[in-house]
């Protein structure tokens, strides 16, 4: 029945998948904290205007990927497709513009109406950072270094490539745009229809084309790097120097661009060949014009967003922490249930993982204890309860020993260090 399926492109995160997501978020969260980035969250919904202003009407996201919600009050609301615009909106609406710099980390779901395929979901999940209020290219280096550290913590650096490029400052970009448009107009009839449409509205985006014919034409196009004024060259050089100093390997890809006017200087992507055509796992850049585009003061910004779903596809199960083996509580009769419940609580307070076995006699419950991969079963019968003791059965060796409840914690910790704190 169709209605019992999840919505197309939206997936359940069952425990194994959820653990991978958690591992990624936790690695990024901890590292972000070491750089002084504070975690924040914006609502899952925003006014459509927030994204229209920042991403622009012609962006893929605004023109065709937005989830629009029919709000009962008639407001134009959308499910957020990305994180930066909401953070910028929050900085303005929360009145944070006086206290620069601002350093934020976030993690959460985003929604885009895309054609679902491997690595391309309609509910996707991102981690991301934003650094506002810093023009110094050292800020760019730190932001990229944080991305790299996160990939390192996940053991992925040898499977990915960091590509960087510069869009230069406004002057360099304007000059380049004119050169590019002049060149592409000569090849107008051979361009894909998408690129033809972009030629007037968003010519830099054409550099980012996936169309093979367009790519051929672009091979002969002038390069942005040749239009950079000295100031822009200096900025890019400092970033490269910083990355080299920190032993962060990178490749300069002169075709890497961001199509919107508020992007400048650094643009970067982390890609992998392990995931087929959905190979970009993280992307970022500098957006000095974004806050002004939103209607706020002119505050520079740089940041990135990483795709958790794609990163999770790169993780192996053996990278996940092994689950702690539980202690299984077995009351021999119903009248000892509450003693079992109390014992479980007491041991959990000491940091042990404890599970109750429900239903059946001793044999059945021992089977359940084995199934939950318990190392010890803690059995409570008449004799044990009367003498404040517990029978502790080693499920590997079959040995059993009676212990006073008070000594149980110490005994189990001693036997099995990973069982308790
Ligand atoms: P793409 O070119 O793959 O569409 P994008 O430019 O739209 O990517 P960004 O908006 O820069 O992507 O988002 C940052 C990261 O989020 C991407 O590099 C990718 O890892 C992830 N991502 C983006 N869209 C999706 C999606 N639909 N499903 C899963 N992950 C996604
Ligand atoms: Mg996209």
């Amino acid at each position: 029945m169709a209605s019992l399926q999840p919505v197309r492109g939206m997936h359940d995160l069952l425990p194994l998948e959820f653990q991978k997501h958690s591992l990624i978020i936790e690695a990024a969260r901890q590292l972000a904290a070491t750089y002084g980035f504070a975690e924040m969250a914006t609502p899952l919904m925003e006014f459509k205007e927030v994204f229209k202003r920042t991403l622009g009407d012609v962006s893929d996201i605004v023109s065709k990927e937005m989830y629009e919600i029919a709000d009962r009050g008639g407001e134009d609301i959308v499910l957020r497709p990305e994180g930066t615009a909401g953070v910028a909106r929050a900085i303005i609406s929360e009145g944070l513009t006086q206290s620069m710099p601002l350093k934020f980390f976030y993690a959460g779901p985003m929604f885009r109406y895309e054609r679902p395929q491997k690595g391309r979901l309609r509910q996707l999940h991102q981690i991301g950072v934003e650094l506002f209020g810093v023009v110094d290219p050292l800020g760019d280096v730190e932001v990229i270094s944080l991305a790299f550290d996160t990939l390192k913590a996940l053991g992925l650096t040898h499977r990915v490539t960091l590509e960087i490029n510069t869009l230069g400052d406004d002057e360099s970009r304007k000059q380049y745009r004119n050169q590019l448009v002049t060149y592409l107009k000569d090849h107008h009839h051979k361009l894909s229809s998408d690129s033809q449409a972009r030629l007037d509205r968003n010519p830099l985006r054409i550099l980012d084309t996936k169309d093979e014919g367009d790519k051929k034409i672009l091979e002969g196009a002038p390069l942005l790097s040749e239009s950079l004024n000295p100031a822009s060259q200096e900025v890019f050089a400092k970033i490269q120097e910083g990355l080299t100093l920190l032993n962060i390997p990178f490749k300069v890809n002169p075709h890497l661009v961001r199509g919107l006017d508020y992007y400048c200087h650094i643009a970067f992507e982390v890609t992998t060949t392990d995931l087929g055509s959905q190979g970009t796992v993280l992307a970022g850049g500098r957006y000095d014009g974004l806050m002004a585009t939103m209607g706020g003061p002119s505050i520079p910004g740089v940041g990135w967003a990483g795709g958790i779903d794609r990163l999770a596809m790169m993780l192996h199960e053996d990278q996940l922490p092994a689950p702690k083996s539980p202690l299984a509580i077995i009351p021999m009769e119903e009248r000892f249930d509450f003693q079992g419940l109390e014992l479980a609580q007491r041991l959990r307070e000491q940091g042990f993982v404890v599970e109750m076995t429900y239903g059946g006699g001793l044999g059945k419950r021992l089977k359940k204890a084995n199934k939950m991969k318990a190392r010890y079963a803690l059995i409570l019968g008449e004799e044990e309860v009367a003498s404040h003791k517990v029978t502790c059965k080693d499920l590997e060796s079959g040995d059993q020993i009676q212990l006073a409840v008070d000594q149980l914690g110490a005994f189990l910790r001693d036997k099995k260090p990973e069982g308790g704190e």
Side-chain angles (χ1 to χ4, degrees):
M1 201 164 98
S3 60
L4 284 183
Q5 296 295 317
V7 173
R8 204 161 117 80
M10 311 210 174
H11 291 187
D12 300 305
L13 294 176
L14 294 178
L16 182 66
E17 192 65 10
F18 192 90
Q19 275 187 59
K20 291 183 180 174
H21 278 230
S22 296
L23 191 79
I24 293 162
I25 294 169
E26 208 39 52
R29 176 180 281 145
Q30 283 180 22
L31 287 161
T34 69
Y35 281 74
F37 284 74
E39 186 162 2
M40 71 170 292
T42 59
L44 294 193
M45 297 186 202
E46 296 274 355
F47 291 118
K48 187 175 179 185
E49 194 60 21
V50 170
F51 302 102
K52 271 183 76 157
R53 278 202 209 173
T54 52
L55 300 169
D57 283 325
V58 295
S59 66
D60 284 353
I61 288 182
V62 173
S63 64
K64 55 188 184 202
E65 294 176 359
M66 213 111 90
Y67 268 93
E68 304 190 22
I69 303 290
D71 174 277
R72 283 175 197 273
E75 303 277 14
D76 272 341
I77 284 176
V78 297
L79 293 179
R80 63 180 191 189
E82 58 96 44
T84 304
V87 172
R89 191 272 308 141
I91 290 172
I92 298 169
S93 58
E94 300 286 340
L96 306 176
T97 56
Q98 301 303 313
S99 51
M100 292 296 137
L102 290 169
K103 301 158 82 171
F104 293 125
F105 164 76
Y106 64 82
M110 308 292 165
F111 301 86
R112 299 183 191 181
Y113 195 81
E114 304 211 59
R115 196 168 68 79
Q117 49 198 295
K118 190 170 168 254
R120 191 170 292 286
L121 306 168
R122 288 184 173 176
Q123 179 177 326
L124 58 137
H125 302 82
Q126 290 184 335
I127 42 172
V129 300
E130 318 285 351
L131 169 62
F132 280 100
V134 175
V135 280
D136 192 322
L138 270 190
D140 306 47
V141 176
E142 285 215 286
V143 159
I144 295 174
S145 166
L146 173 50
F148 190 77
D149 282 353
T150 304
L151 295 163
K152 200 192 297 179
L154 297 171
L156 297 178
T157 45
H158 63 290
R159 293 166 64 196
V160 298
T161 307
L162 168 64
E163 295 177 39
I164 67 171
N165 192 27
T166 183
L167 304 171
D169 61 10
D170 287 353
E171 184 190 81
S172 306
R173 222 165 41 258
K174 262 186 204 124
Q175 201 204 321
Y176 176 66
R177 183 179 296 122
N178 293 336
Q179 287 185 18
L180 182 70
V181 170
T182 308
Y183 171 83
L184 289 176
K185 278 200 167 144
D186 287 345
H187 299 82
H188 187 271
H189 57 289
K190 285 185 283 177
L191 285 172
S192 68
S193 54
D194 268 359
S195 291
Q196 283 178 356
R198 282 174 178 151
L199 197 52
D200 292 326
R201 296 195 290 182
N202 207 355
L204 289 188
R205 262 303 298 278
I206 297 174
L207 297 176
D208 202 16
T209 184
K210 307 229 159 60
D211 182 275
E212 290 304 322
D214 290 351
K215 282 186 184 167
K216 269 246 132 37
I217 296 168
L218 285 170
E219 280 171 17
L223 286 177
L224 209 156
S225 53
E226 290 156 3
S227 297
L228 292 179
N229 59 22
S232 300
Q233 286 176 19
E234 216 172 285
V235 168
F236 196 38
K238 188 170 179 185
I239 294 173
Q240 294 183 60
E241 226 176 294
L243 294 175
T244 306
L245 179 82
L246 297 179
N247 292 316
I248 299 172
F250 61 87
K251 267 194 202 146
V252 176
N253 171 1
H255 293 288
L256 182 60
V257 287
R258 297 277 177 269
L260 299 169
D261 276 346
Y262 58 77
Y263 283 111
C264 58
H265 297 293
I266 193 79
F268 56 94
E269 280 185 7
V270 177
T271 57
T272 177
T273 53
D274 293 2
L275 296 180
S277 51
Q278 263 49 258
T280 308
V281 293
L282 186 146
R286 179 167 274 279
Y287 27 77
D288 289 353
L290 179 123
M291 285 296 260
T293 310
M294 283 212 86
S298 169
I299 292 170
V302 56
W304 51 259
I308 299 176
D309 311 273
R310 292 185 192 173
L311 289 166
M313 287 163 71
M314 297 186 75
L315 295 182
H316 293 299
E317 274 175 45
D318 56 16
Q319 286 181 260
L320 299 173
K324 281 186 180 180
S325 133
L327 302 166
I329 304 275
I330 304 184
M332 295 284 287
E333 292 171 45
E334 198 184 325
R335 61 194 167 112
F336 306 130
D337 274 357
F338 283 139
Q339 276 88 351
L341 204 60
E342 269 179 334
L343 179 63
Q345 209 50 22
R346 205 165 151 165
L347 290 166
R348 287 178 187 134
E349 280 164 11
Q350 295 175 47
F352 292 97
V353 177
V354 190
E355 294 195 50
M356 300 297 289
T357 56
Y358 292 110
L362 180 61
K364 210 165 179 191
R365 286 180 187 239
L366 281 171
K367 264 197 197 129
K368 288 179 184 174
N370 275 313
K371 203 168 159 213
M372 59 177 77
K373 299 203 166 67
R375 171 74 197 280
Y376 291 99
L378 305 178
I379 303 164
L380 288 163
E382 175 124 47
E383 193 190 323
E384 286 90 347
V385 170
S387 55
H388 294 287
K389 287 191 171 163
V390 178
T391 294
C392 182
K393 185 176 176 71
D394 184 329
L395 294 174
E396 273 171 26
S397 64
D399 296 345
Q400 56 182 56
I401 175 175
Q402 268 201 10
L403 290 164
V405 169
D406 290 342
Q407 293 162 359
L408 197 56
F411 171 80
L412 292 168
R413 232 188 313 277
D414 198 35
K415 287 279 180 198
K416 195 162 188 301
E418 73 271 30
E421 309 274 81

